[in-house]
Amino acid sequence: MTLVGHSVSDTLDYVFHIDSARRFGRTGKSTRISCRFAAHERADCRLGELDSVHGDASDEQGLCSRTD
């Protein structure tokens, strides 16, 4: 996931809702990813209670979560 912008807020949660299904228009499963940016390049993202990642989001290699 790449976010393009000049800045992000340190007071907002950025929430991404991802739906998947075998057929378009019929949601079979929904996943919620919530991210917070405490500082300009510091990201803290969570996939519910299943996984999380935090660190320097400016690295082109990206971030690796607890479960890779």
Side-chain angles (χ1 to χ4, degrees), residues 32-36 43-55 63-68:
R32 178 180 176 217
I33 300 172
S34 177
C35 296
R36 183 169 276 250
D44 180 9
C45 297
R46 300 184 182 281
L47 175 62
E49 297 295 321
L50 299 174
D51 205 358
S52 65
V53 65
H54 62 274
L63 297 172
C64 191
S65 71
R66 295 182 316 200
T67 60
D68 292 328

Side-chain angles (χ1 to χ4, degrees), residues 28-44:
K29 184 176 181 181
S30 294
T31 301
R32 178 180 176 217
I33 300 172
S34 177
C35 296
R36 183 169 276 250
F37 299 89
H40 178 64
E41 296 172 344
R42 303 292 303 172
D44 180 9

Side-chain angles (χ1 to χ4, degrees), residues 3 6-14 34-44:
L3 298 176
H6 296 287
S7 65
V8 292
S9 173
D10 61 353
T11 61
L12 296 175
D13 285 335
Y14 294 84
S34 177
C35 296
R36 183 169 276 250
F37 299 89
H40 178 64
E41 296 172 344
R42 303 292 303 172
D44 180 9

